[in-house]
Amino acid sequence: MNRTKKQQTCRIMGLAGCLAGSWLLVLLALNCPTLGDTEDVVLDYPLPQEPDVSFPPAYPSPQNIDAICKNGDYRRRYPPSYFPPSGYSHFRRRGTAINRLESWYNMCCHGNVPKDDNQNLCCAQQAWHQALFQFCEDEFAIKTVAYPCCRIKGDRRWICFKTQASSTYQAFPGYQAPAQLPQEPDFIWNPDQCLHDE
């Protein structure tokens, strides 16, 4: 901008506006962090917090089947109201998988399955596989990057879920699972196809 145009701009904006515009550029130059340097950046607004969904669930085993059956009403569920009104669809799918699995665990522990730890364990293992299989199907139905374990084929997928498991099936003190969550359909326990802990 030549001097004449700058003077005209200053007259139009007023002296204060002209100086403020110049100082703004100086302040930005002095206070902006260098590219890639975020140590000194302080945000004036909070970042949205990710929903806390305990996922993936631990694989049912002789060591945790008692906790699976006894603590079912005291483990977290994830109704739609748990999540922010928009976004976080990958967390919603994880929550849906946990709700589905807990519903099926309830059937394994308190439904028509004989009251025997081996039968309960066999049923819970089948429920775990089917719930995570359905979770992966839901992940692939959306045009986003699927959960890492879902992208693995064969038995390695289940090993991935087992090694990434975050849930220990312990009760949350003071928590009671909401009664209004519907019973999840589509799980049929097959005692002739019991899965054995690896």
Side-chain angles (χ1 to χ4, degrees):
M1 176 184 293
N2 64 37
R3 186 174 179 141
T4 308
K5 285 192 178 180
K6 187 172 183 182
Q7 287 172 341
Q8 288 172 348
T9 305
C10 283
R11 280 191 204 116
I12 293 168
M13 290 174 58
L15 185 58
C18 186
L19 291 174
S22 300
W23 278 106
L24 179 63
L25 292 174
V26 171
L27 287 173
L28 285 173
L30 292 175
N31 289 322
C32 285
T34 56
L35 188 61
D37 179 14
T38 57
E39 276 186 355
D40 299 324
V41 175
V42 177
L43 298 176
D44 291 335
Y45 54 89
L47 290 174
Q49 200 167 17
E50 290 184 341
D52 182 18
V53 179
S54 184
F55 188 88
Y59 184 65
S61 69
Q63 291 72 37
N64 64 20
I65 188 63
D66 192 50
I68 287 173
C69 289
K70 288 186 177 171
N71 297 333
D73 287 339
Y74 308 103
R75 285 193 298 273
R76 293 266 182 234
R77 300 300 194 283
Y78 305 98
S81 60
Y82 180 82
F83 299 96
S86 63
Y88 301 104
S89 59
H90 53 292
F91 286 103
R92 290 175 191 274
R93 290 191 294 277
R94 293 175 196 181
T96 298
I98 296 296
N99 294 344
R100 179 180 293 128
L101 182 58
E102 289 291 352
S103 172
W104 293 348
Y105 280 165
N106 185 55
M107 191 207 81
C108 291
C109 297
H110 308 292
N112 296 330
V113 177
K115 303 296 180 258
D116 171 90
D117 280 350
N118 291 331
Q119 298 297 309
N120 295 143
L121 177 59
C122 172
C123 180
Q125 288 172 342
Q126 288 183 31
W128 184 87
H129 277 90
Q130 287 186 36
L132 291 177
F133 175 82
Q134 184 59 52
F135 166 74
C136 289
E137 292 292 301
D138 294 344
E139 284 282 279
F140 290 128
I142 307 299
K143 301 239 184 276
T144 57
V145 177
Y147 189 81
C149 294
C150 293
R151 298 194 303 259
I152 301 172
K153 303 285 187 193
D155 289 340
R156 289 176 50 229
R157 172 183 287 181
W158 310 122
I159 293 167
C160 178
F161 277 121
K162 289 175 189 179
T163 56
Q164 289 192 8
S166 59
S167 170
T168 59
Y169 298 114
Q170 297 308 308
F172 285 87
Y175 178 82
Q176 177 71 43
Q180 72 271 20
L181 287 178
Q183 184 74 18
E184 291 284 340
D186 302 328
F187 174 68
I188 299 172
W189 173 57
N190 185 348
D192 296 329
Q193 294 181 352
C194 284
L195 302 170
H196 300 287
D197 194 14
E198 296 159 13

